Amino acid sequence: MNHVVAVRALCEFGARTGDLDLRFTPGTTAQEGIEGHALIRTRRAAGYESEIGLSGEFKTLRVRGRADGYDPAENRLEEIKTCRGRAESIPDNQKALHWAQAKTYAHLLCRQRGLDRIHVALVYFDVDEGRESMLVEDCAAPALELAFLALCERYLAWAEQEQRHRQSRDQACQAMAFPHAGFRAGQRTLAESVYKASCQRRQLIAQAPTGIGKTVGTLFPMLKAAPREQLDKILFLTAKTSGRRLALDALALLAPDDSASNTIGPRVLELTAREKTCEYPDLQCHGESCPLARGFYDKLPHARHDAVNASGILDQRRLRDIALRHELCPYWLGQELAKWCDVIVGDYNYYFDTSALLYSLGQERQWRTALLVDEAHNLLERARSMYSAELCEADIIAARPAAPPAMRKRLDALLRAWRKAFQDQPQAYCAYEEPPAGLLPMLQRAGVAMAEHFTQAAVAPHPDLQSLHFLVQHFLKLSESFGPHSIYDLTLSPAQGGRNHSVDRRLCLRNMIPAPHLQERFAAGHGCVLFSATLTPWHFYRDTLGLPADTAYVNVAAPFHAEQLDVRIAGHISTRYADRERSAGPIVQLMAQQYRQRPGNYLSYFSSFDYLERCAQAFMLSHPDIPVWTQSRRMSETDRADFLARFTPEGTGIGFAVLGGALSEGIDLPGTRLIGAFVSTLGLPQVNPVNEQRMRCMEQVFGKRVAYDYAYLYPGLQKVVQAAGRVIRSPTDQGVLHLIDDRYLQTRIRSLLPDWWQVDYDGATKNQTHERGDTV
């Protein structure tokens, strides 16, 4: 057989009709599904068969799957679906899909066992009530066969088209030439390492400097490896919109739109956040409210056909054009097309989040998927946020007025338990190794009460109530996998909004080490490359992100020369918190001296807005003739663009910014747009209770020897090197970098700086590092 498809995928492709209906209906977890199926089996009579392997053929198509259950005594095939609430609340289009699956299994069973008729049952099991609802149809085998043949005919035509596309895609990748006359310095090393990692199904950490063309240098070898490794998908995952744009531009260069050629290259899809693609943000996602949800599945086949046969990249603009031409929602059309595109460019969360679309599809459809993780130094913090959850008393209080009486009692009980659990907390912040006794069961009961209400309500759920339900479910889900990698902590703060209660209690399940959550994501990939200009030391990222012990590492040599960047250490200045007030004067003097020596555009980075404002004010008072502009605390996209617009090739002045913020990475100011930078900090995270708990977790998991470095030192210096990387963007740039703090004199600090930097010392000698000691 040339084509193989699972029953579920076959029915999802050909049996869905009607509206897109995303009215909120509480779902069940995978574990609840497993337990629900097991419980139903215990209720059946002796002789009941479960998990029956079935398969059937149509021309060159093989259909296979496992039926949930069959009762020989009743001649009844059962398709079991776990749910919350009444079966009547399940949308009709979803039931139609369930019937298609059940009847497909019934046909395969009839064919296998020679049955003329069979009872086909949909069994909906309410996991909260333990209640079954059974819908039964008596079906003749010939009618089931006709429905099966119609589904297969429709799918086979598509599968044959996809097979032709796959052959054409592979030919295009094999013939693909590097898009430039030659590789840049270091780019060939990067490309060779990526190709080898894919062919060996290895994970690779690649530190590669700015300016070598990392995007092309990773995409090109992965596309070349795709035919050999039979890759189904290449996922280019980014932290920011700018990274997506660079990837799409590189793919347009690698696989240009050539309508005259008979060889069609890889299909490329850009996935964009829902809030940036929704055409009717004030409407709800169902056919009775939104016109682009109405008849979605009826119109999908034609839109899908047009999209996969369109020339060029399916970026946000082109996808929107196709969707609106067919009167469909652009966001949900993109979700559907992810099944049929070869290269997908999107945010980290599409693969690494708790409910990630691309990871779920890959597991369900058994894709061979290669991962390219851009600016991978960002993944650690992003993953921590993905696997953290927060609940505050204010959320419960806000939802209470919208709750019906029965649910309000549950919320009141939750509030009482909540306040009692933390009434004896002696200080504003406390960390806990486990949740207070009895609190999780109260959260579970409140979650069940909200779920029951949503399944029975005739109107859309109140936003505050629905938001609380999502928060509770996310919190409970992460609590199931709680371990040494996370903590519970509670913060007490003054209540807002003039409430009677003087204190608001905020409970957080805070992930510190995302490694256990990400391990299975990396293991599922057919090779994974994490690349960035700042991945030193590489074992820190391997350990905290959960990469395997045999992960490969390559440190690509920079294409720059030491003569391009004059790196100076101001070892006579301390920027420690206790020294900041007296450090402002020397910093201002150093900055002014550098500016007057070589006027031009500079960036000056500080550890906090308070420090920034103190030094900026001192600078403007002392040197009012030098132009100054500063980053604001809540800078909008427009304000950020205006800040960067001041850096013109002929401009002069100093921009003040906070290290680690929106202006310390992801910005490109080549040539004379930026000729120097000052970094008045070591970048270390603030010493506070949360970061101290993070260090404790690091010690518990990785040992005391590396705990401080993993919690403070490495994250800090990564931000310093990122910011410093704004100065030299090409082999022709020239600039200066001032590292302002005596700790930069320490041997182990200098060892973590880029090896192509040649350091000079201002106000201190190399020998002073021994006098001061190597203590950060």
Side-chain angles (χ1 to χ4, degrees):
M1 289 292 166
N2 293 334
H3 308 286
V4 179
V5 64
V7 168
R8 178 174 175 177
L10 174 73
C11 295
E12 285 185 345
F13 180 84
R16 278 191 159 172
T17 59
D19 297 346
L20 179 70
D21 192 343
L22 297 175
R23 278 174 284 203
F24 177 66
T25 52
T28 59
T29 66
Q31 185 60 37
E32 286 172 330
I34 293 170
E35 293 171 356
H37 280 65
L39 181 57
I40 285 179
R41 287 197 294 269
T42 65
R43 296 176 176 180
R44 299 297 185 255
Y48 184 81
E49 302 174 34
S50 59
E51 296 293 318
I52 308 153
L54 297 168
S55 65
E57 291 78 36
F58 172 79
K59 297 181 180 178
T60 58
L61 177 67
R62 184 177 181 221
V63 180
R64 65 185 183 187
R66 289 185 175 274
D68 290 330
Y70 175 63
D71 187 337
E74 300 290 337
N75 188 28
R76 185 178 68 228
L77 181 132
E78 296 181 348
E79 174 71 6
I80 302 168
K81 300 293 182 184
T82 54
C83 63
R84 281 198 151 85
R86 299 170 299 153
E88 294 83 0
S89 65
I90 296 172
D92 290 340
N93 64 343
Q94 195 68 20
K95 283 182 182 174
L97 177 62
H98 297 162
W99 275 120
Q101 293 174 357
K103 290 179 179 181
T104 300
Y105 285 123
H107 160 72
L108 296 175
L109 188 68
C110 286
R111 177 185 284 187
Q112 183 186 84
R113 303 193 181 187
L115 304 175
D116 295 327
R117 303 189 70 85
I118 192 170
H119 295 298
V120 183
L122 276 183
V123 180
Y124 290 105
F125 179 72
D126 182 346
V127 297
D128 294 326
E129 298 294 332
R131 180 180 58 235
E132 292 181 42
S133 299
M134 183 181 293
L135 308 176
V136 182
E137 288 188 14
D138 180 28
C139 299
L144 293 171
E145 183 178 23
L146 285 175
F148 175 78
L149 295 178
L151 279 175
C152 290
E153 190 77 60
R154 203 173 306 142
Y155 183 85
L156 183 58
W158 180 267
E160 289 172 342
Q161 170 192 284
E162 290 302 283
Q163 184 179 55
R164 292 190 295 271
H165 165 73
R166 178 67 169 256
Q167 292 169 348
S168 179
R169 182 208 77 170
D170 286 351
Q171 291 171 8
C173 289
Q174 288 168 342
M176 185 180 292
F178 192 69
H180 303 294
F183 287 92
R184 297 181 191 177
Q187 197 176 35
R188 179 181 287 278
T189 300
L190 175 62
E192 289 175 350
S193 300
V194 171
Y195 186 83
K196 290 176 183 177
S198 176
C199 294
Q200 296 172 8
R201 199 179 178 182
R202 292 277 299 280
Q203 279 73 31
L204 169 69
I205 293 176
Q207 179 167 272
T210 298
I212 71 164
K214 293 191 290 291
T215 306
V216 171
T218 52
L219 278 167
F220 175 68
M222 197 62 83
L223 287 165
K224 294 292 285 183
R228 167 180 166 153
E229 296 305 306
Q230 300 178 32
L231 296 179
D232 297 306
K233 308 285 176 187
I234 296 173
L235 307 184
F236 192 98
L237 305 169
T238 72
K240 298 173 182 173
T241 303
S242 57
R244 289 208 311 270
R245 189 68 260 166
L246 287 171
L248 295 171
D249 291 344
L251 287 161
L253 196 64
L254 288 164
D257 179 15
D258 184 5
S259 55
S261 172
N262 291 325
T263 301
I264 306 300
R267 290 188 196 128
V268 179
L269 172 69
E270 178 187 16
L271 289 178
T272 311
R274 184 170 173 178
E275 59 269 18
K276 294 183 179 180
T277 53
C278 181
E279 296 289 322
Y280 299 101
D282 296 330
L283 301 182
Q284 296 180 16
C285 289
H286 59 82
E288 295 176 15
S289 176
C290 179
L292 300 183
R294 195 171 302 134
F296 181 90
Y297 291 108
D298 300 326
K299 294 177 280 189
L300 176 61
H302 295 293
R304 182 170 54 204
H305 178 271
D306 285 358
V308 300
N309 289 290
S311 57
I313 289 173
L314 290 168
D315 59 9
Q316 183 178 356
R317 180 190 59 80
R318 185 164 294 181
L319 185 63
R320 179 178 185 269
D321 290 343
I322 295 171
L324 296 185
R325 192 186 316 148
H326 291 273
E327 298 181 303
L328 292 177
C329 171
Y331 175 77
W332 290 105
L333 177 60
Q335 304 282 293
E336 289 289 333
L337 291 176
K339 302 168 186 175
W340 313 111
C341 290
D342 307 298
V343 183
I344 301 174
V345 180
D347 189 86
Y348 292 161
N349 65 336
Y350 283 107
Y351 189 80
F352 292 112
D353 205 352
T354 54
S355 55
L357 168 76
L358 297 177
Y359 175 73
S360 298
L361 284 175
Q363 293 297 100
E364 175 189 315
R365 294 170 178 249
Q366 299 183 327
W367 288 338
R368 291 169 72 90
T369 301
L371 308 177
L372 295 173
V373 184
D374 181 35
E375 298 295 344
H377 62 275
N378 289 303
L379 182 57
L380 177 57
E381 277 305 314
R382 285 288 303 276
R384 280 172 175 156
S385 66
M386 292 175 193
Y387 292 94
S388 296
E390 188 174 85
L391 278 171
C392 65
E393 191 171 319
D395 296 326
I396 306 171
I397 293 171
R400 188 179 177 280
M407 192 200 306
R408 196 173 300 161
K409 291 180 180 178
R410 289 288 190 192
L411 295 183
D412 288 342
L414 175 60
L415 275 172
R416 288 193 297 271
W418 184 276
R419 292 165 181 163
K420 181 180 179 181
F422 304 112
Q423 64 183 359
D424 297 326
Q425 179 165 306
Q427 55 210 40
Y429 175 90
C430 277
Y432 301 86
E433 294 185 357
E434 58 184 23
L439 187 59
L440 288 185
M442 293 301 294
L443 283 172
Q444 289 167 343
R445 293 188 191 105
V448 169
M450 286 186 278
E452 290 174 346
H453 167 67
F454 294 142
T455 57
Q456 297 169 10
V459 297
H462 190 280
D464 289 339
L465 207 53
Q466 183 172 315
S467 174
L468 177 62
H469 180 74
F470 288 148
L471 291 171
V472 167
Q473 293 304 317
H474 184 54
F475 196 96
L476 290 172
K477 181 178 181 179
L478 291 179
S479 293
E480 293 174 1
S481 56
F482 182 79
H485 49 76
S486 299
I487 64 167
Y488 291 100
D489 62 31
L490 187 91
T491 304
L492 306 179
S493 59
Q496 301 295 316
R499 299 202 321 263
N500 293 330
H501 306 286
S502 59
V503 174
D504 189 19
R505 299 165 179 85
R506 186 178 300 271
L507 178 64
C508 183
L509 192 165
R510 195 182 304 275
N511 177 256
M512 301 296 194
I513 305 169
H517 299 291
L518 300 184
Q519 283 171 347
E520 64 178 11
R521 308 298 169 105
F522 289 124
H526 187 88
C528 172
V529 179
L530 295 89
F531 59 98
S532 168
T534 51
L535 291 173
T536 297
W538 72 278
H539 60 79
F540 165 65
Y541 294 95
R542 179 198 63 192
D543 294 347
T544 55
L545 294 175
L547 290 157
D550 67 347
T551 296
Y553 173 68
V554 60
N555 185 13
V556 178
F560 312 126
H561 303 289
E563 295 76 17
Q564 288 182 253
L565 184 64
D566 183 8
V567 183
R568 303 177 184 178
I569 293 178
H572 62 292
I573 300 174
S574 167
T575 64
R576 294 170 180 85
Y577 185 79
D579 301 326
R580 285 183 186 171
E581 187 170 349
R582 60 177 171 267
S583 69
I587 291 172
V588 166
Q589 182 181 358
L590 186 153
M591 291 170 58
Q593 181 181 348
Q594 172 62 48
Y595 180 87
R596 298 199 187 282
Q597 179 183 335
R598 186 188 175 192
N601 292 317
Y602 294 84
L603 269 167
S604 187
Y605 291 104
F606 298 87
S607 56
S608 68
F609 279 104
D610 288 340
Y611 200 16
L612 179 156
E613 290 161 359
R614 175 181 297 167
C615 291
Q617 185 177 14
F619 189 93
M620 289 185 285
L621 286 172
S622 302
H623 305 280
D625 59 309
I626 300 177
V628 165
W629 53 100
T630 63
Q631 179 181 357
S632 61
R633 290 178 183 263
R634 283 170 287 276
M635 181 173 272
S636 67
E637 287 291 328
T638 301
D639 293 338
R640 179 177 182 271
D642 291 341
F643 183 99
L644 295 175
R646 297 284 297 268
F647 293 87
T648 61
E650 299 80 22
T652 58
I654 302 177
F656 285 65
V658 171
L659 189 73
L663 296 168
S664 59
E665 65 174 281
I667 60 174
D668 195 20
L669 300 170
T672 57
R673 291 186 66 192
L674 183 69
I675 65 169
F678 309 90
V679 182
S680 301
T681 174
L682 210 63
L684 303 180
Q686 183 184 31
V687 177
N688 60 34
V690 172
N691 287 331
E692 287 295 282
Q693 288 297 323
R694 179 170 296 160
M695 186 169 72
R696 185 189 63 79
C697 286
M698 295 292 183
E699 181 177 341
Q700 186 175 357
V701 174
F702 301 118
K704 187 174 184 178
R705 186 176 62 86
V706 300
Y708 177 84
D709 292 349
Y710 276 28
Y712 287 99
L713 183 59
Y714 299 154
L717 286 179
Q718 177 269 316
K719 291 184 288 186
V720 171
V721 177
Q722 271 290 330
R726 303 312 97 200
V727 181
I728 303 299
R729 308 296 290 173
S730 76
T732 60
D733 285 347
Q734 295 281 334
V736 63
L737 170 66
H738 289 270
L739 300 175
I740 304 173
D741 193 282
D742 61 83
R743 288 167 290 183
Y744 284 111
L745 296 171
Q746 296 178 14
T747 303
R748 70 171 178 144
I749 301 299
R750 295 201 310 275
S751 70
L752 296 170
L753 302 178
D755 51 18
W756 67 273
W757 289 5
Q758 183 173 321
V759 179
D760 291 326
Y761 299 86
D762 292 340
T765 66
K766 289 185 181 181
N767 293 333
Q768 281 183 285
T769 184
H770 301 294
E771 297 171 14
R772 296 174 186 270
D774 276 347
T775 302
V776 176

